Amino acid sequence: MHVLKDIAPARQWVRQEQRSGRTVGLVPTMGALHRGHLSLVEAARARCSSVAVTIFVNPTQFGPQEDLAAYPRPLQADLAACEKAGVDAVFAPDVETMYPGGVFTRVHVATLTDGLCGPHRPGHFDGVATVVAKLFQILPADAAFFGEKDYQQLRVVQQLVRDLNIPVEVVGCPTVREPDGLAMSSRNAYLVPAQRAQAACLYQALNRACTRAAGGVRRAAELIDGIRGDILAAGPAGIDYVEIVDAVTLEPLTAVNRAARICLAVRIGGCRLIDNVAVDMPAGPI
Ligand code: AMP
């Protein structure tokens, strides 16, 4: 496995693979790898002949009050996990390599970033869009793999690639969960045991709403109230938002009458958790 720290060798590695007739799959991460990340590696291995993982805790996507300093950085364990998963190359640059002398150019994807996490994390999606655009320049892969766990991010990256004509296929991959349903996240490590047990309520609440929708409840407000109630019944939590949005445009819906996504962000203890599920249009007349 190649461990690349600099831009020129990273680009050269991708070009060499492609010249040799191999397709390259890219899996961008911030490290602290778990089974969710490794599922993206598996998806990349299934579709491409070579796989590159990037590990970079991107400072431009963290707000000033957020957990940039505390974010886990177990690089040696991550490299071992990549090696074991059959990754061919890891790109793990430092901040100065990615942003020499600072940040002068920022990429902004409009509209999709107006709602959901956008207002709660000002500048976050600009940071994501900027670093992903840079990674696509540095590692011009054939396909790139992103988790549905970060559904808004996935939509932002799809839009970015379309708008900037970046020749990469963006592949969305299903959320990998703990046995109790909690979506795997590097940030789950911040939860103490009681909070960790409580956190299972998020997926349970989402699932209950899906069941209610399938049973004919279409009014978004009613479904959202149910989710909020279920979450607050499980223990103290700060709900940033619970929303039902169009699965493509991310515009809030008042009724589940097309392909939709229920998205939420909830703070338990000091830990901000996000999750989402697809909710299908229930059968029958509106
Ligand atoms: P992160 O390291 O948190 O920036 O995540 C890197 C990539 O892994 C993103 O595309 C995430 O959506 C994806 N990811 C994170 N957690 C999960 C999960 N539980 N299941 C599937 N993909 C995930």
Side-chain angles (χ1 to χ4, degrees):
M1 187 177 78
H2 301 265
V3 179
L4 307 161
K5 293 268 184 196
D6 292 312
I7 288 165
R11 190 176 280 134
Q12 220 175 336
W13 178 82
V14 175
R15 293 287 189 224
Q16 185 52 47
E17 293 298 295
Q18 291 167 336
R19 265 199 298 273
S20 308
R22 288 187 283 277
T23 54
V24 174
L26 184 66
V27 179
T29 81
M30 298 206 300
L33 301 181
H34 50 65
R35 282 199 294 111
H37 297 114
L38 297 177
S39 75
L40 305 184
V41 171
E42 274 165 40
R45 274 165 54 93
R47 271 173 102 116
C48 302
S49 21
S50 294
V51 176
V53 168
T54 72
I55 298 177
F56 179 60
V57 181
N58 173 37
T60 66
Q61 70 188 72
F62 288 77
Q65 310 301 325
E66 293 184 357
D67 57 341
L68 174 62
Y71 201 86
R73 292 166 170 85
L75 183 62
Q76 289 315 314
D78 284 348
L79 293 177
C82 286
E83 180 106 56
K84 194 165 162 227
V87 170
D88 300 285
V90 173
F91 178 56
D94 59 25
V95 172
E96 186 55 25
T97 301
M98 289 299 280
Y99 299 110
V103 183
F104 305 98
T105 302
R106 281 195 174 80
V107 180
H108 175 70
V109 177
T111 312
L112 286 173
T113 57
D114 287 349
L116 302 176
C117 284
H120 296 274
R121 303 190 70 187
H124 168 69
F125 287 112
D126 289 2
V128 169
T130 302
V131 80
V132 170
K134 286 169 69 68
L135 290 171
F136 287 159
Q137 300 302 314
I138 296 165
L139 297 141
D142 299 276
F145 297 79
F146 290 85
E148 289 182 355
K149 149 91 176 10
D150 301 277
Y151 191 78
Q152 190 174 16
Q153 169 176 284
L154 170 62
R155 286 292 303 117
V156 165
V157 172
Q158 287 170 334
Q159 189 72 46
L160 161 85
V161 159
R162 201 169 130 177
D163 291 349
L164 297 185
N165 307 98
I166 301 174
V168 64
E169 183 192 357
V170 176
V171 181
C173 302
T175 302
V176 176
R177 299 180 178 280
E178 300 284 0
D180 66 0
L182 177 65
M184 289 200 154
S185 164
S186 308
R187 290 192 167 98
N188 293 351
Y190 298 152
L191 298 166
V192 301
Q195 295 164 347
R196 169 63 192 81
Q198 183 189 335
C201 73
L202 302 184
Y203 185 57
Q204 286 160 7
L206 289 170
N207 258 333
R208 232 167 78 84
C210 284
T211 307
R212 294 186 71 205
V217 179
R218 281 141 195 264
R219 274 202 332 117
E222 196 176 333
L223 295 168
I224 289 168
D225 281 351
I227 294 170
R228 285 179 165 271
D230 285 350
I231 291 170
L232 294 174
I239 299 179
D240 275 2
Y241 64 82
V242 178
E243 281 197 57
I244 303 184
V245 296
D246 181 285
V248 176
T249 66
L250 305 186
E251 277 159 6
L253 299 178
T254 53
V256 181
N257 53 11
R258 64 189 98 158
R261 211 86 199 174
I262 314 180
C263 301
L264 55 74
V266 174
R267 285 168 285 107
I268 294 181
C271 183
R272 185 176 187 275
L273 302 167
I274 59 171
D275 202 349
N276 70 88
V277 292
V279 59
D280 294 325
M281 189 174 75
I286 287 209

